[in-house]
Amino acid sequence: MIDIDKVISKCVQFGKSATQQRMAIIKALSGSENSISAYDLLAQLQKQGYMFNISTIYRVLDFWIELGLVHKIESNNTYLVCNDSHHNHFHVLFHCLGCEKVEESCKLSKQTLLPNMQSFKLKENQVIELQGLCANCS
């Protein structure tokens, strides 16, 4: 599970509120063993008694992505909670095409220096997804 104090402090840092909707969604997402689609997240929350619609789920996921607490895996349109405090680096995700498990490697991304260019400013919280097979599937 995600550290709730970390989540709330991140909201405060950005001048945002940790609303009931936002907290319910990040808690549900952090409880997933693997990355999860917005529709699966919606179904999971509805089973818990929440009455969210899919646009709320997407809006809140975008909010958490903007704060750097959630990553979107573009190749299969799923989401997962970031496992690192990630100061000044990008995120590297290893995505197994066999079992669909996704692991984040902050160690690898911290070893890579990004260019400091005057002509191009890098977007923060970027994700690089590397696809392959994990040790169990290869």
Side-chain angles (χ1 to χ4, degrees), residues 102-118:
V102 178
E103 288 188 30
E104 183 174 4
S105 173
C106 292
K107 181 179 179 182
L108 176 63
S109 62
K110 286 177 183 176
Q111 293 173 351
T112 305
L113 294 176
L114 296 176
N116 186 6
M117 301 175 1
Q118 299 293 337

Side-chain angles (χ1 to χ4, degrees), residues 21 25 27 44 49 56 64 97 105-106 120 125 131 133:
Q21 287 179 334
I25 290 170
K27 284 178 185 177
Q44 179 181 337
T56 299
W64 291 124
L97 298 174
S105 173
C106 292
F120 188 78
N125 296 322
Q131 296 180 345
L133 295 174

Side-chain angles (χ1 to χ4, degrees), residues 35-84:
S35 62
I36 186 171
S37 73
Y39 282 94
D40 289 341
L41 188 57
L42 174 65
Q44 179 181 337
L45 287 162
Q46 287 176 337
K47 286 179 186 175
Q48 296 174 14
Y50 291 100
M51 302 305 291
F52 299 139
N53 60 42
I54 194 63
S55 62
T56 299
I57 300 291
Y58 280 119
R59 187 174 57 251
V60 171
L61 288 169
D62 286 342
F63 170 83
W64 291 124
I65 290 168
E66 182 181 326
L67 266 58
L69 294 175
V70 169
H71 299 306
K72 180 177 182 183
I73 302 163
E74 296 290 340
S75 66
N76 63 3
N77 203 27
T78 60
Y79 301 83
L80 78 156
V81 172
C82 179
N83 68 9
D84 185 63

Side-chain angles (χ1 to χ4, degrees), residues 1-10 23 26-27 30:
M1 288 299 278
I2 194 162
D3 180 353
I4 298 303
D5 292 334
K6 174 184 168 185
V7 171
I8 292 171
S9 71
K10 194 74 159 179
M23 295 307 292
I26 199 159
K27 284 178 185 177
S30 73

